[in-house]
Amino acid sequence: MIGLDTVEIAPRINGRETVLEVPVRMTLAEMLRDRLGLYGVKVSCEMQVCGVCTVLVDGQPVSSCTFLAADTDGRRVLTVEGLAEGDRLHPIQQAFVDRFALQCGFCTPGFIMMTKHLLERSPLPDREEIVEHFDGNLCRCTGYAPIIEAVQDAAGRLGRRGS
Amino acid sequence: MGVLPAFRLHRPTTLAQALELVNDDRMPYAGGTELLLAMKEGLLRPTHLVDLKGIGSLRDVRESGSGVSIGALVTHTQAADHPIVVDRLAGLAAVLNRVGNPRVRATGTLAGNLCFAEPRSDVAAALIALGGEVEIASAEGRRAMAVEDFVIGPYTTALEQGELVTGILVPVQPDLRFAYLKHQTTERPTLGVAAAANSHCSLVVGAVGFAPQVFRSPSPSDLDPSAIADRVEVVPDLTGSEEYKRHLVEVYVRRAVAALGGRR
């Protein structure tokens, strides 16, 4: 029982079937950035506290800095790069731009992916729900108020689009 | 970017296979929300991880006797959203919805939370107040143990070599009143107070000491918040001095007693 050193995995990343061989110690963030060039995935605290590395795996938010790439076999992985359609930004991205919900932008992909998860679970969240959902996402530029407005704005845009 | 130390991965698909594999150096792995962090920090350096996620029998949430059994692979989010938990253990569901942050809840399992025995665990405090038990399997057979006896100190449990936690059993008591109040300014609580009462009352003070501390009384009104604040073990840290934390304990115990309908 010597165990595996590397594994072959077949995740669907941003809608594209992908086959990779990865060391078992490789994190999802390392795979997305270093193997696939998806630099929208940022890494900062590496302790699941700051939220910049957030991606969705089968629709659930995960901290890709401390999530094994090996665990994405057969699963859907969505990063911020998977949101826009060509040059057209996703309504959540557009809401962040229109509401000035970013300054340096480093935390933004994490906030956007967390927003995607929130609005899928709760299409019209109130302020308290939004604040609580971002318990594990840090922004040092905006003071959070424009981010909350952007989420509410995005909820409106997605609601109109859906109806 | 910090790199995980090298290890080898095992992927058993049955409990029997997993039990053959685990030992001190081959650590069980499910959500990894604590384990992978500790490995990145160099605090733990297992040379093998035994991934339990291929064992389907550990994924269930089901009614079991007069309680609810939550399998070892069930995440905080899955448990909090599960209709049986929402219906029968609404107080626990509310606690689970406030653990850590949404990513931790979506990946981390309840069983893993207990096994890591982080002193500031919301789940440990709540489950002790609710009278929860840990279901344990080994090559010799199965046993159950109260969560209160399982969590014996910081990062220390009563789990023995060759044993695996297979689930958590939470009794359902329809007449039980339950409250969990926490004070939190960082990613982990400074204080968590869980209290449950029907014909008797259990109050658990979590997060301020090395392990959850249990106080029992016939009814919530018999609990003395000031005496509890004097008696609890308190560890000062960056989130507060001993004096501050004792003050918090008194205030939160009083609030918990009030939440259960006690008079103080």
Side-chain angles (χ1 to χ4, degrees):
Chain A
M1 298 183 214
I2 58 165
L4 303 162
D5 197 24
T6 60
V7 285
E8 188 179 278
I9 54 172
R12 190 175 174 84
I13 296 171
N14 294 333
R16 181 174 302 180
E17 298 293 351
T18 312
V19 177
L20 297 134
E21 181 163 306
V22 295
V24 295
R25 73 199 273 193
M26 179 176 268
T27 64
L28 179 54
E30 288 166 341
M31 180 182 90
L32 294 170
R33 288 177 58 88
D34 302 343
R35 285 285 184 88
L36 301 170
L38 296 170
Y39 297 116
V41 181
K42 310 297 181 195
V43 175
S44 178
C45 79
E46 301 191 59
M47 294 177 72
Q48 309 194 358
V49 170
C50 75
V52 302
C53 69
T54 303
V55 303
L56 304 187
V57 176
D58 285 344
Q60 293 290 326
V62 306
S63 296
S64 62
C65 70
T66 39
F67 189 94
L68 295 187
D71 282 341
T72 61
D73 184 32
R75 303 177 74 181
R76 287 175 291 120
V77 178
L78 186 67
T79 74
V80 73
E81 288 90 346
L83 293 181
E85 289 171 24
D87 288 339
R88 219 173 99 242
L89 290 179
H90 186 279
I92 296 172
Q93 293 172 304
Q94 194 61 54
F96 270 67
V97 172
D98 293 348
R99 297 283 172 165
F100 300 100
L102 60 142
Q103 188 179 315
C104 85
F106 193 77
C107 71
T108 311
F111 271 97
I112 286 177
M113 299 317 288
M114 288 296 287
T115 303
K116 175 108 171 73
H117 172 252
L118 174 65
L119 297 182
E120 274 165 16
R121 208 177 144 97
S122 177
L124 279 174
D126 61 24
R127 190 180 184 283
E128 192 186 0
E129 196 178 348
I130 296 168
V131 169
E132 201 175 294
H133 191 73
F134 289 144
D135 249 0
N137 286 74
L138 301 180
C139 172
R140 289 295 177 252
C141 299
T142 63
Y144 301 98
I147 293 177
I148 294 165
E149 285 170 20
V151 175
Q152 289 169 326
D153 184 352
R157 293 172 196 233
L158 288 165
R160 280 193 299 280
R161 196 171 74 158
S163 61
Chain B
M1 221 183 311
V3 176
L4 277 167
F7 61 89
R8 301 188 79 91
L9 186 68
H10 299 260
R11 288 176 154 171
T13 53
T14 67
L15 183 58
Q17 288 170 2
L19 286 170
E20 273 182 37
L21 285 164
V22 288
N23 63 28
D24 278 353
D25 192 40
R26 299 200 205 117
M27 297 193 75
Y29 160 69
T33 50
E34 302 278 21
L35 178 59
L36 297 181
L37 262 65
M39 287 170 65
K40 261 200 173 177
E41 294 289 314
L43 301 172
L44 289 172
R45 222 169 239 279
T47 50
H48 299 253
L49 294 188
V50 180
D51 185 3
L52 305 178
K53 291 194 290 295
I55 307 173
S57 61
L58 303 182
R59 292 192 178 281
D60 292 343
V61 175
R62 57 188 163 76
E63 304 203 48
S64 169
S66 60
V68 175
S69 172
I70 299 169
L73 291 174
V74 177
T75 65
H76 296 78
T77 301
Q78 288 166 345
D81 289 349
H82 197 284
I84 294 176
V85 178
V86 171
D87 182 46
R88 313 292 301 275
L89 297 166
L92 178 63
V95 173
L96 299 179
N97 275 324
R98 299 288 312 280
V99 169
N101 62 50
R103 297 180 304 278
V104 169
R105 296 195 289 270
T107 313
T109 65
L110 266 71
N113 186 318
L114 289 184
C115 287
F116 195 67
E118 153 65 50
R120 292 162 292 181
S121 166
D122 302 295
V123 173
L127 285 174
I128 291 170
L130 290 168
E133 292 186 350
V134 180
E135 300 169 320
I136 296 167
S138 69
E140 280 74 53
R142 290 175 180 266
R143 64 176 180 138
M145 182 188 272
V147 174
E148 183 177 349
D149 300 325
F150 180 78
V151 178
I152 54 181
Y155 315 105
T156 312
T157 69
L159 201 67
E160 287 175 16
Q161 169 101 302
E163 288 188 320
L164 273 176
V165 171
T166 57
I168 295 158
L169 184 67
V170 190
V172 173
Q173 305 167 73
D175 62 339
L176 192 76
R177 307 188 300 285
F178 174 78
Y180 183 70
L181 306 172
K182 67 170 164 176
H183 184 78
Q184 186 165 345
T185 54
T186 64
E187 63 273 14
R188 298 190 196 270
T190 303
L191 166 69
V193 173
N198 46 19
S199 59
H200 57 280
C201 175
S202 299
L203 180 127
V204 184
V205 178
V208 292
F210 287 118
Q213 299 165 73
V214 187
F215 298 87
R216 294 201 163 79
S217 66
S219 82
S221 304
D222 299 316
L223 292 166
D224 181 343
S226 146
I228 290 172
D230 285 341
R231 272 173 55 203
V232 284
E233 175 193 59
V234 168
V235 181
D237 60 17
L238 288 175
T239 67
S241 64
E242 177 181 341
E243 184 189 7
Y244 170 72
K245 289 190 177 184
R246 287 197 192 283
H247 171 72
L248 276 186
V249 170
E250 181 172 350
V251 171
Y252 276 72
V253 170
R254 183 174 291 121
R255 288 179 188 171
V257 167
L260 295 186
R263 265 176 293 153
R264 275 176 192 273

